Amino acid sequence: MKLLVFIGCWFACSFAFGQLPKYEHRQELKNITEQWHKIPLPLSVLDHSNPDLSDIRIYGLTEKDTLEAPYVLNIGSGKHTKQKVDFKLLNTVSNAKGFYYTYEIPTTESINELELEFDTDNFNWMVDLEGSQNQNDWFRILEDYRILSIKTSQTDYQHTTLTFPSSQYKYYRLLVKSHKSPKLTRAQLNLDSSLKAVYDSYPVTFMNIDQKDKKTIIDIDLNQSLPLSFLRLNLKETVDYYRPVTVKYVQDSIQTEKGLKYRYKELYRGTLTSIDTTGFKFNSTKAQKLRVIIENNDNRPLQVEGADIKGYRHELVARFDDKAKYYLAYGNKKARAPKYDIINIASQIPDDAPLLALGKVEHTTKAKKTNRALLENKLWLWLVMGSVIVVLGWFTLRMMAKR
């Protein structure tokens, strides 16, 4: 029976060992001097980790044990908060300059945004915005701010929200420079206190531009699979333009007789315009190859000189409770996101935690294959199970024979 127990325990331990998580890459964490440290995640980690970064771990090695340091993942995606400010329309007048709208704010709140809606399409107007405390002395906030609407069978685009530095006046006066009534149906004053996103720029290793069927097709390759959330095309143009644009990324590929064929998934759809050249923002998506399609219709193609691609900054804030040699480990498709208690005490995490330096990338793939070759071989597992069954049968027959 002792032999049977030994074999059973050995089999269970071997199976459990084979189920332990394995990580293909690791980097040493150097100069740990405090309990809390920040660890910026470089491109190598983002490239070889799972899309949701669920496989990132911090392990500490001592002479007797393996430790796991808890961490919080901070993603610089910003925070969107917009507060509506109550107001009332005092009057609407017009003269040779255009149409005036005067608003009163009964409180002392600040605003930095004015949303406008019009019951008309296809306009291109300049507007002025002024502020006053007594309706006698007016101070300029915006001058010749452009708003427009384009609605055709190919394009549906509007730019009718005014943004400006935070101001605090009791009265605001809007001038729409139009010879006919703009048919303003709605205005909304807001205080946008959103936190701006923090981005890291990614290097573009390859870009190809092709003109086909009245379209400009731009293929971009980053040479790494990275979490993308921002794209801006750099154009050399001196005239206004408004073109429908679609951004796609390569989701997967298949091998055909004619070569490798990519399957694309839409990432963003909107308008490429000279009015707003800040770029396109979209949900963070891990990708390596992008395709941008600009619909030129009957217009001449735009002169594309390059592209800026960015992703939200990713950073760990880790707590080191014990002395050990710590590594940042990653690269395990089967790993699940860890659950640490420190997520519930985020307010206690110091903002000024010092940064940690990362050592060189160490690849452990070969070691993994060597260690798992025996333990994950199905034939070997069947042999072990068969041996256990034979031993059990042998002991059973001996006991029956004695009786």
Side-chain angles (χ1 to χ4, degrees), residues 360-375:
K360 294 182 178 180
V361 178
E362 300 178 27
H363 304 286
T364 60
T365 306
K366 292 182 179 180
K368 276 179 53 179
K369 290 181 179 179
T370 302
N371 293 335
R372 291 191 302 187
L374 181 62
L375 295 175

Side-chain angles (χ1 to χ4, degrees), residues 177-195:
K177 299 178 181 180
S178 171
H179 297 299
K180 61 180 182 179
S181 174
K183 298 181 181 179
L184 179 62
T185 58
R186 176 182 172 272
Q188 177 61 56
L189 301 176
N190 301 315
L191 176 61
D192 189 343
S193 54
S194 301
L195 296 177

Side-chain angles (χ1 to χ4, degrees), residues 332-361:
N332 182 354
K333 294 181 179 180
K334 296 181 179 180
R336 295 183 179 181
K339 296 181 180 180
Y340 300 124
D341 290 339
I342 61 173
I343 194 67
N344 300 315
I345 57 170
S347 59
Q348 301 179 22
I349 299 176
D351 295 329
D352 58 349
L355 296 176
L356 276 186
L358 285 170
K360 294 182 178 180
V361 178

Side-chain angles (χ1 to χ4, degrees), residues 8-168:
C9 292
W10 178 73
F11 174 75
C13 292
S14 299
F15 184 76
F17 178 78
Q19 292 298 104
L20 286 176
K22 299 296 190 299
Y23 296 88
E24 297 181 0
H25 316 280
R26 71 178 188 179
Q27 293 178 252
E28 185 180 352
L29 299 174
K30 299 182 176 181
N31 303 323
I32 299 176
T33 58
E34 307 292 335
Q35 183 181 26
W36 294 94
H37 279 281
K38 292 181 180 179
I39 308 170
L41 298 183
L43 301 188
S44 59
V45 176
L46 301 178
D47 181 19
H48 294 100
S49 298
N50 293 341
D52 59 354
L53 305 182
S54 59
D55 56 332
I56 292 180
R57 298 292 189 275
I58 299 175
Y59 286 123
L61 303 180
T62 67
E63 293 182 357
K64 298 181 179 180
D65 201 2
T66 299
L67 310 174
E68 184 170 350
Y71 67 82
V72 173
L73 173 62
N74 291 331
I75 301 177
S77 56
K79 186 177 181 181
H80 187 70
T81 56
K82 184 181 292 188
Q83 177 185 351
K84 294 182 179 181
V85 178
D86 293 332
F87 69 96
K88 63 179 180 179
L89 177 64
L90 292 183
N91 57 57
T92 302
V93 296
S94 63
N95 58 20
K97 293 183 178 181
F99 290 77
Y100 291 85
Y101 304 86
T102 305
Y103 305 102
E104 179 185 9
I105 297 180
T107 62
T108 58
E109 295 182 85
S110 299
I111 66 168
N112 55 13
E113 186 178 87
L114 174 56
E115 297 179 16
L116 304 173
E117 290 185 7
F118 301 90
D119 187 21
T120 185
D121 297 318
N122 297 313
F123 57 81
N124 186 357
W125 299 320
M126 297 295 182
V127 301
D128 293 346
L129 182 64
E130 298 174 310
S132 174
Q133 300 293 1
N134 52 24
Q135 295 198 74
N136 293 321
D137 302 316
W138 291 94
F139 301 93
R140 186 63 51 85
I141 299 174
L142 292 174
E143 183 176 14
D144 287 338
Y145 190 100
R146 192 175 186 182
I147 60 174
L148 60 87
S149 168
I150 302 174
K151 190 170 185 178
T152 65
S153 57
Q154 295 86 22
T155 304
D156 188 356
Y157 175 77
Q158 283 196 352
H159 179 69
T160 58
T161 297
L162 283 58
T163 57
F164 45 90
S166 294
S167 59
Q168 192 175 49

Side-chain angles (χ1 to χ4, degrees), residues 1 4 387-403:
M1 289 300 292
L4 178 62
S387 299
V388 172
I389 294 172
V390 170
V391 172
L392 283 171
W394 182 73
F395 274 104
T396 302
L397 290 174
R398 283 197 60 185
M399 292 175 65
M400 291 176 65
K402 288 181 179 180
R403 291 182 181 180

